[in-house]
Every structure is written in C-alpha cells, then in structure tokens.
C-alpha cells in the first residue's frame, strides 16, 4: 500500500507541474505565431536570457513584450530556470524604455526577485593625476633671445661697415693683402664708438636709472654719409667722450635693425636720418631731439650737450611726472616731551687726548678770488663744472693760471690740488702749459673759451 501511494503522489505532482507550466499548455497553440527579431532582441537585453527562450515567452504572450517579460519573471526565469546562463551584462546602454523598466521592476518586486539595475551604470573615468610642466623653458628662451640679439647686431655691423671691400679674385696675393689692410683702416676710422651700449634698449633704461644718467640715442642710416661722419668726427672726439661718459649712456642703432625700427616707430623719428635724441630713463620720454646733420662738428655737439645739461638735471623731478610718482616728505613732529630731554654725562666720558686717532686734515677748497669789474683789460672764461653747470667769470689780463684754478676750486668746492682744467679747442691741460700755474691768461690763450673742470680722485 505504501509503495502504491508513493507512485500515485509522484504521478499527481508531475501532472500538476505540467498543468502549471504555461509553456507546456499554450506553447503548441502559439507555435505558429510570428515574433519580430526586434522584440526578441529587446527581451534578451532586458532579461539576459537566450534568443530561443525569449522567442518562446513572446509567443506565449501573444507578441506582447511587457506581458512576456512579466511572465518570464513570474516563472523564475531570472533565477536561472529559463535555461542557460545569462550574459554578464546587457547588450548596451540606453536600449530599455523607462516605462518598460518600471513595469519589469514592479513585477520582479511582486515576485520577490532581485533583478538588480536594469540600466547599466555609466562608466566614470578616473581623475587625471595632477602634474606640473613648463610651456616655455626660460633658459632656452633666454638663449634664443640672446642669439637673436647677436645676429641682429652682426647684421647691423655689416650694414654700417663703410668699406665692404670688393671681389679680389682677379688680384694678386699682395694686392689683396694691401686692399684688405686699407679697408680695415677705413672701417676702423668710421666705426661706432667703443662706449656704445650693446645691451637692449630696455636693459639700457634700467642701467641708466641705477646710474642716474640720461640716454643719448643715435639712429644711423648706412646709405647717408652723415651717419658715418658722426662716428669719425663727433663720437670719437675726446671732449664728447668725457661729456657722454659723465652724464649719458650712449645707445646707437641703425634704422634697419630690429630695435632701431621699433624706436623710430615709437618716437616718430621720421625719415630724416641720422637722428639724435636724449631720453629720460625715469619716464621713457624723449626730452630733446636733433637732426643729426647739425652735429657734424664736435664743438656744436658739445654746445648742444652742455645746453641740455644746463636745462635738465637728474636731481629734479621728471617733467610731467605725476605727483604720486614721488612720495611727499612730511615734516615730522617732535615726540611728546622731547623738549624736556637733557643729555648729561657727555664730558665725563670723553677719551683722553692720546687715545684719539689723529687723522690728517683735509685740504679745504680755495677762497673765491675777487672778480674784476666790466671794461678795461678783462678776459672772460666759461667753466664747465663736473655736474654740468656752466659759470662765466671775468679775469684781469695780468692774472695767472693759478687764479683760474682757485676759482675752479671754489666753484667745485674741492681742493685745488685735485682740480684739473682743460680747454676744448685746442684740447690741452692748463697744468701743462708753458710756464705752469705762473703763466698769464693772455699767454695761455683761454680768452672766450670753454674750460672743463675735472676732479681727480684723492
């Protein structure tokens, strides 16, 4: 009896399973229904089952995708009952409609099945690690700029070479050597002065600020002989050299160089070259300009420079400068109670005479001699002091050179032993004239002349 009961329960369970499985019940009736490939693909992407199984569910649902998916989850297809292992991931993002996904999730929740996220998560890339880099290497950029400056300077020197030479292929060796030596001598005669600044214009401006000097600019043109004449006759003159070295920085370029072209465009030098001007390094303004053809004689150039130095001084504020450029020096009041302070004990701590180091007394400047009145045997002499100031004095015809030295010592406030006087034309030192300091001014030929006052170091 027991064995028969067990066989009966087994047949009853198998019959119930076949009755509950809709695929076994309705599958033969729906086998002829056509299902589109798009619905199959959608079903596969939503359930991760096989294509044949998806087609079966769709046929059972009458081609209704939503009912087929609900049927799949109600029958436990997500747990592996549908046969075949599901793919690891959906076919691709963005292929599931939001409404369908919501219904599938509701049906899965009602069946107690965890389907996980139906839409794949968007991949987020890892953050880029922080790093430091240089767009421009400063050392390489500085070297490149230096090479460009040197190349521009070399090109300017070739353009400004007075005698560039000719092809000497047909000449003999001796003739070629003589021609080369002659060309070198001419080029040296017309060469730019040695004190010409090789730095860039902006570097010269910074240097002039530090040294409290003006910038004397000369823009040349190789095709104009007046440019070469300036190098030969003016910039090589000893008097001009002394004036420039004392109060100016000299910056010479030609009109075809990179910096020369920029300077002409910025300051509107025009087409009349050579051009000479003086620039204030504190403001970058051009204070005075001349046509270079007016500087063909050194005495005229010296007069232009002396006149400028008389009218301008680096100790004064720049013209047109904003009041905010220099802070106002306000008088400070004495601290409270400063008038009641008394200093005591100064005499008690005085050192003994033998403890005091004896230093030699400094030679005082000479006293100013009396100036003779106008008229009669009177000689006028102009003194150019080291600070650029010009003073005209009268002397008696019988006065000696020593009187001039005393006047220069009093004007410069320096000992007479450190004072040197020199005439411009001709260039000579008055200490070396015949007769020395005892020579008369008439014999020294200094009447109506400009005398430069130089102070030697102690």
């Amino acid at each position: 009896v027991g064995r028969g009961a067990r066989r009966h329960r087994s047949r009853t369970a198998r019959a119930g399973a076949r009755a509950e499985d809709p695929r076994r019940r309705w599958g033969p009736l729906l086998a002829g229904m056509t299902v589109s490939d798009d619905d199959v693909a959608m079903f596969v992407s939503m359930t991760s089952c096989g294509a044949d199984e998806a087609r079966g569910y769709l046929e059972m649902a009458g081609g209704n995708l939503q009912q087929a998916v609900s049927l799949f989850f109600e029958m436990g297809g997500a747990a592996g009952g549908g046969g075949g292992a599901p793919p690891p991931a959906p076919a691709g993002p963005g292929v599931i409609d939001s409404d369908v996904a919501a219904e599938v999730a509701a049906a899965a929740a009602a069946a107690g099945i965890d389907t996980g996220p139906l839409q794949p998560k968007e991949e987020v890339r890892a953050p880029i690690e922080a790093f430091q880099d240089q767009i421009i290497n400063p050392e390489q950029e500085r070297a490149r700029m230096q090479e460009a400056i040197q190349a521009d300077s070399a090109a300017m020197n070739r353009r400004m070479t007075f005698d560039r030479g000719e092809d000497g292929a047909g000449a003999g060796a001796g003739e070629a050597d003589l021609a080369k030596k002659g060309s070198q001598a001419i080029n040296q005669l017309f060469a730019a002065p040695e004190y010409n600044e090789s730095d860039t214009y902006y570097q010269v401006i910074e240097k002039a600020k530090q040294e409290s000097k003006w910038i004397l600019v000369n823009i040349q043109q190789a095709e104009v002989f007046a440019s070469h004449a300036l190098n030969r006759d003016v910039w090589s003159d000893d008097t001009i050299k002394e004036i420039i070295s004392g109060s100016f920085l000299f910056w010479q370029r030609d009109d075809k160089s990179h910096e020369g072209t920029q300077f002409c465009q910025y300051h509107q030098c025009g087409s009349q070259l050579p051009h000479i001007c003086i620039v204030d390094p504190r403001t970058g303004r051009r204070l005075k300009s001349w046509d270079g053809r007016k500087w063909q004689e050194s005495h005229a150039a010296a007069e232009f420079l002396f006149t400028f130095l008389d009218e301008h001084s680096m100790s004064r504020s720049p013209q047109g400068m904003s009041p905010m450029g220099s802070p106002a020096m306000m008088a400070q009041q004495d601290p409270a109670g400063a008038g009641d302070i008394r200093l005591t004990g100064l005499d008690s701590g005085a050192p003994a005479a033998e403890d005091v180091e004896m230093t030699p007394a400094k030679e005082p400047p000479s006293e100013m001699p009396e100036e003779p009145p106008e008229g009669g045997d009177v000689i006028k002499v102009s003194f150019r002091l080291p600070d650029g100031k010009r003073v005209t004095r009268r002397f008696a015809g019988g006065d000696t050179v020593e009187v001039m030295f005393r006047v220069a010592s009093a004007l410069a406030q320096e000992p007479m032993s450190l004072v040197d006087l020199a005439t411009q034309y001709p260039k000579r030192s008055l200490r070396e004239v015949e007769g020395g300091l005892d020579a008369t001014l008439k014999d020294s030929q200094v009447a109506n002349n400009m005398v430069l006052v130089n102070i030697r170091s102690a």
Side-chain angles (χ1 to χ4, degrees), residues 212-229:
S212 297
K213 291 184 177 181
W214 310 103
I215 302 176
L216 180 60
V217 179
N218 176 211
I219 304 298
Q220 300 277 66
Q221 190 174 22
E223 295 78 12
V224 179
F225 179 74
S227 299
H228 303 281

Side-chain angles (χ1 to χ4, degrees), residues 13-294:
R14 286 197 297 269
R18 285 195 299 268
E20 292 175 358
D21 190 354
R23 287 178 294 182
R24 295 180 178 270
R25 182 178 181 182
W26 300 105
L29 298 176
L30 301 175
M33 181 177 293
T34 59
V35 178
S36 65
D37 295 337
D38 294 338
D39 291 341
V40 173
M42 180 66 72
F43 191 96
V44 171
S45 64
M46 295 171 62
T47 61
S48 301
C49 66
D52 295 338
E53 187 177 4
R55 190 176 298 274
Y57 277 103
L58 287 169
E59 290 175 352
M60 286 187 292
N64 190 317
L65 179 61
Q66 296 184 11
Q67 293 181 4
V69 172
S70 299
L71 183 62
F72 173 81
F73 286 112
E74 288 177 359
M75 298 182 63
V95 297
I96 302 177
D97 183 55
S98 58
D99 296 337
V100 175
E103 293 183 3
V104 171
I113 302 172
D114 184 12
T115 60
L118 297 179
Q119 292 283 6
K121 293 184 179 180
E122 183 181 357
E123 294 186 1
V124 180
R125 64 169 178 82
I128 299 176
E129 296 183 359
F131 67 94
Q132 293 182 354
D133 199 358
Q134 287 182 338
I135 299 178
I136 297 177
N137 189 326
E139 296 297 334
Q140 293 181 357
E141 184 67 14
R142 190 177 296 108
R144 187 188 66 81
M145 291 295 297
Q146 191 65 27
E147 291 177 359
I149 293 172
Q150 293 176 357
D152 189 48
S153 177
M156 181 185 68
N157 292 335
R158 288 193 297 269
R159 288 190 298 267
M160 292 302 299
T161 300
F162 186 78
D163 185 5
R164 302 180 185 179
E166 298 178 356
D167 187 8
E175 296 179 359
D177 292 341
L178 291 176
K180 184 177 180 180
K181 291 180 180 179
S183 178
Q184 291 177 352
I186 294 176
N187 291 334
Q188 186 176 2
L189 181 65
F190 290 94
E194 297 179 354
Y195 51 84
N196 181 29
E197 296 290 339
S198 60
D199 295 332
T200 63
Y201 180 69
Y202 294 103
Q203 290 175 340
V204 172
I205 286 181
E206 295 300 324
K207 183 177 179 181
K209 289 179 183 179
Q210 296 176 1
E211 299 182 8
S212 297
K213 291 184 177 181
W214 310 103
I215 302 176
L216 180 60
V217 179
N218 176 211
I219 304 298
Q220 300 277 66
Q221 190 174 22
E223 295 78 12
V224 179
F225 179 74
S227 299
H228 303 281
L230 282 173
N231 290 339
R232 181 193 62 184
D233 301 332
V234 178
W235 308 133
S236 61
D237 184 76
D238 293 337
T239 302
I240 300 299
K241 288 181 180 179
E242 291 182 5
I243 298 173
I244 293 177
S245 62
S247 303
F248 299 91
L249 292 181
F250 186 75
W251 191 77
Q252 184 188 84
R253 296 294 185 270
D254 74 326
D255 60 327
K256 293 182 177 60
S257 64
H258 182 70
E259 287 191 301
T261 302
Q262 288 184 338
F263 186 90
C264 290
Q265 292 176 352
Y266 184 78
H267 291 281
Q268 300 179 357
C269 299
S271 58
Q272 194 72 18
L273 299 177
H275 177 81
I276 299 173
C277 65
I278 297 177
V279 176
D280 188 345
R282 298 168 295 180
T283 62
R285 295 179 55 194
R286 185 178 59 177
L287 301 180
K288 190 74 174 178
S289 61
W290 300 269
D291 182 356
R293 291 176 175 82
K294 298 181 180 180

Side-chain angles (χ1 to χ4, degrees), residues 11 28 68 82 109 119 124 127 133 178 201 207 211 222 271 287 296 322 337 371 379 382 387 391 436 440 448 451:
R11 285 195 299 268
Q119 292 283 6
V124 180
D133 199 358
L178 291 176
Y201 180 69
K207 183 177 179 181
E211 299 182 8
S271 58
L287 301 180
Q296 294 304 306
S322 171
E371 185 176 13
I379 296 176
S382 295
D387 59 357
V391 178
T440 62
N448 299 322
V451 177

Side-chain angles (χ1 to χ4, degrees), residues 247 305-307 309-310 383-391:
S247 303
L305 294 177
F306 284 141
T307 303
L309 294 176
D310 284 340
F383 292 91
R384 174 61 61 180
L385 301 179
D387 59 357
K389 186 178 180 181
R390 184 170 60 181
V391 178

